[in-house]
Amino acid sequence: MPPAALLPLAPSPLHPNQRRHLFRCGASRRGFTVHTAVAIASASAAASAAAAEAEAPPCPSPTPSPPTQAPPSKQVSPVLGGIANTRSWSQYYGSGFSIRVPPSFDDILEPEDYNAGMTYYGDKAKPRAYAARFASPDRDELISVVIKPSNQLKITFLEAKDITDLGTLKEASKIFVPAGAKVFSARTIKVKDEEDIRTYYFYEFGLDKQHVALMATVNSGKTYIAGATAPETKWGDDGVKLRSAAVSLSVS
């Protein structure tokens, strides 16, 4: 069998309706060369920048600044200027009242005061100056309880059942706060007891270089007054303790 012959492929003739379109660049050869050189240079620069960026160590992230702290808001002063928890204190029970006594305070009620309310052979009973009295070891700080008939504090033919029967907080200050004293605080305090809500008046004042915290209320025609006193120079250290003792007054 004769070997196959390789014949050159001739280009297929163009269709009669098909024409070859030749496009000619309008730019000169010099301009084409310049544009080509610029393009090559730009591509090289971009490639170099990309390679440099890839090789460069990563930039450390900026250290976050600490959160800005808002200035502490001014604390609101407590209603009574500061009260301590007195549950761990000993509680003294008197005639119709009770009061908490700070640690290390001594009972200094004189023996004759205990018997002042007793009568012998029909003699008129001597009124007791204090129903309770306690003092610090140096005797500079005192806590006292006084009981007085309400009609001795304000003339009335009716039995006072509530301290509001003696007047408003401002009106009653004339009874409980000495003339010339500088009043630091005055509050109405309502406490729920077993039967009803009882009203107390609280006053804090200074007089003759003494600082006083006073709590008063009325029950069955009697006015109960608890007072805690100390020199002004010591009130800064022991004022909360003394104020808490006065406020702990409770009647039954």
Side-chain angles (χ1 to χ4, degrees):
M1 181 177 179
L6 297 178
L7 300 177
L9 296 177
S12 59
L14 296 175
H15 192 275
N17 295 330
Q18 181 180 5
R19 293 181 181 181
R20 179 175 294 177
H21 298 280
L22 299 178
F23 297 92
R24 181 173 182 154
C25 178
S28 65
R29 180 177 297 178
R30 182 175 181 277
F32 175 78
T33 302
V34 171
H35 285 295
T36 302
V38 171
I40 293 173
S42 300
S44 299
S48 300
E53 183 177 357
E55 294 178 359
C59 297
S61 58
T63 304
S65 58
T68 304
Q69 296 182 354
S73 58
K74 184 178 180 181
Q75 295 185 356
V76 180
S77 300
V79 174
L80 298 180
I83 298 296
N85 189 339
T86 60
R87 291 184 178 181
S88 62
W89 297 2
S90 61
Q91 189 168 15
Y92 175 84
Y93 292 89
S95 177
F97 73 93
S98 67
I99 191 170
R100 296 281 182 174
V101 182
S104 75
F105 271 57
D106 301 322
D107 187 345
I108 60 170
L109 194 65
E110 297 296 333
E112 58 268 21
D113 290 336
Y114 285 105
N115 301 324
M118 299 178 62
T119 59
Y120 296 95
Y121 306 106
D123 294 339
K124 185 177 180 180
K126 177 184 177 182
R128 299 175 61 176
Y130 300 101
R133 194 164 171 83
F134 305 90
S136 60
D138 59 6
R139 301 301 190 259
D140 284 343
E141 302 169 1
L142 299 172
I143 298 172
S144 307
V145 178
V146 176
I147 305 174
K148 288 185 174 294
S150 299
N151 56 10
Q152 290 185 4
L153 303 177
K154 183 178 180 180
I155 298 177
T156 177
F157 294 101
L158 301 176
E159 181 184 88
K161 297 181 179 180
D162 191 86
I163 196 169
T164 55
D165 295 335
L166 302 181
T168 63
L169 178 70
K170 184 177 181 180
E171 293 169 347
S173 66
K174 299 177 182 179
I175 298 174
F176 301 112
V177 180
K182 181 180 180 180
V183 179
F184 302 118
S185 178
R187 296 286 186 273
T188 298
I189 302 174
K190 293 184 180 294
V191 179
K192 182 175 177 57
D193 57 19
E194 297 178 356
E195 299 178 356
D196 200 358
I197 296 178
R198 190 175 304 281
T199 303
Y200 293 78
Y201 285 168
F202 173 84
Y203 303 94
E204 191 167 323
F205 54 89
L207 180 67
D208 296 335
K209 298 182 180 182
Q210 292 286 317
H211 199 115
V212 181
L214 183 147
M215 188 82 155
T217 191
V218 169
N219 186 32
S220 301
K222 296 179 180 180
T223 302
Y224 296 80
I225 307 167
T229 65
E232 284 286 1
T233 54
K234 290 191 173 183
W235 192 266
D237 295 330
D238 298 333
V240 172
K241 175 176 62 179
L242 296 171
R243 184 186 301 112
S244 302
V247 172
S248 71
L249 173 69
S250 177
V251 300
S252 58

